[in-house]
Amino acid sequence: KAVVSTQSTGGIVKMIEEFGGGSFIVHFGKFYEEYTKHHIRSIVKERFGLKCHRVFSIVVAQKMIEQKQVAELALLPYKDAKELLYGLYTENFLELQELHRTPDFSPLRTFYLFHAPLEKLRQKLLSTCYKAVFNLMEVRKRNLNENSRLVEKSLRADAAVLQATQKGIPPDQLEDILTRSEKQQLAGCMRLVKTLDLGEISVVDTILALTHFGTTQIS
C-alpha cells in the first residue's frame, strides 16, 4: 500500500479523505509552479555551477533571506556566499529588498533581504524559449534549402519505387537515382532535421507549461 505525503510531493498531491484507502486531489497550479522553479534552478546550475544552484535554491525556498542565513544554510563561508549572491544579483536572478528598522533609514539598522523574482525569471525563460524555437526553425529551413536538390531526387526515387511495385517490378531492378555519396549526405540531412524536430517539440512543451502557469500566481 503506497502512502502519499503532501510534503514529499511539494503540496502537489493532497489527501482529502482517508476512508477506503484515501482520496487525493492534484493541485495543477502547484505543479506548474514547481515545474517553473525546476527549470529556473536548472538554468542557474548550468550557467553558474553547483554552489550557485545551492544558494539560489535556498533563496527560492526561504522566499526572503539575509546573506548570513544563506551562508549558514548553504554551509559556505560568509565571503563565498556573498560573492555567489551578488553574482546572481548582478545577472538579475536575485533581487534585494531593504527592510528598515528605524525611520532614519540607517544602513546599520537595515535588513537586506535577497529574494528570487520568479515571475520575471519565468518571463525571461519564455523569451529564451521563443528565441530557441525560432533558431531551430531557421537551422532546419537552411539545412533543407541547402539539400533541396537531394530531397527532390529522393522523392522522385520513392515515387519510382512505388510505381514499380504497383506494376510488379522488383525495386532492386530499378536504377539508383541517388549516388552513394548523395545518399550519405541526404541521410545526414534527415538526421539533423529529426534532431531539430525533437528539440523543437521539447522547447514547445516547456513554452506550453510556462504559458499555462502564467495564469496563476507564482510564489
Side-chain angles (χ1 to χ4, degrees):
K1 181 179 178 179
V3 178
V4 179
S5 168
T6 57
Q7 292 183 342
S8 66
T9 62
I12 296 172
V13 179
K14 292 184 178 180
M15 177 181 285
I16 58 174
E17 186 178 311
E18 295 185 6
F19 180 75
S23 297
F24 300 87
I25 59 172
V26 178
H27 193 322
F28 281 99
K30 190 67 177 177
F31 166 79
Y32 286 113
E33 176 182 338
E34 293 303 319
Y35 181 90
T36 301
K37 289 178 181 178
H38 169 75
H39 273 278
I40 296 172
R41 285 194 296 264
S42 296
I43 291 172
V44 170
K45 183 179 180 180
E46 184 177 338
R47 286 187 56 182
F48 307 108
L50 284 171
K51 286 185 178 180
C52 265
H53 174 262
R54 192 193 321 166
V55 166
F56 182 80
S57 297
I58 289 171
V59 177
V60 170
Q62 298 297 319
K63 297 186 178 180
M64 289 282 186
I65 187 170
E66 286 188 284
Q67 181 177 306
K68 181 181 178 182
Q69 293 174 303
V70 172
E72 293 172 351
L73 291 173
L75 302 177
L76 290 170
Y78 184 83
K79 182 181 177 181
D80 291 354
K82 180 179 179 180
E83 290 178 357
L84 295 172
L85 284 167
Y86 279 94
L88 290 168
Y89 172 77
T90 302
E91 294 293 330
N92 298 315
F93 278 84
L94 292 179
E95 291 183 352
L96 261 177
Q97 182 170 329
E98 298 179 0
L99 186 61
H100 303 285
R101 290 182 289 176
T102 57
D104 60 1
F105 301 105
S106 170
L108 296 176
R109 289 180 289 276
T110 300
F111 291 112
Y112 296 93
L113 303 175
F114 285 95
H115 69 98
L118 295 175
E119 178 55 25
K120 291 181 182 178
L121 292 172
R122 184 186 74 85
Q123 294 289 346
K124 184 177 180 179
L125 180 55
L126 267 176
S127 178
T128 301
C129 287
Y130 288 133
K131 291 176 182 177
V133 170
F134 175 79
N135 290 335
L136 288 167
M137 292 173 66
E138 286 296 300
V139 172
R140 181 175 58 225
K141 180 181 177 181
R142 184 169 63 250
N143 182 58
L144 290 174
N145 286 340
E146 291 174 352
N147 293 278
S148 59
R149 184 182 62 84
L150 294 180
V151 173
E152 291 174 1
K153 287 183 70 173
S154 176
L155 292 175
R156 290 201 303 271
D158 292 341
V161 170
L162 179 60
Q163 290 179 355
T165 302
Q166 291 174 343
K167 295 178 180 179
I169 302 173
D172 55 7
Q173 293 183 9
L174 298 176
E175 183 179 352
D176 283 339
I177 295 178
L178 294 169
T179 65
R180 183 177 180 181
S181 62
E182 287 177 331
K183 289 179 180 178
Q184 291 175 343
Q185 184 178 341
L186 182 62
C189 170
M190 291 298 103
R191 282 196 299 270
L192 178 57
V193 168
K194 183 178 180 180
T195 300
L196 294 170
D197 286 343
L198 292 174
E200 184 178 337
I201 290 171
S202 176
V203 177
V204 168
D205 284 345
T206 300
I207 289 174
L208 290 174
L210 295 176
T211 303
H212 179 92
F213 183 69
T215 60
T216 64
Q217 181 63 42
I218 191 166
S219 59

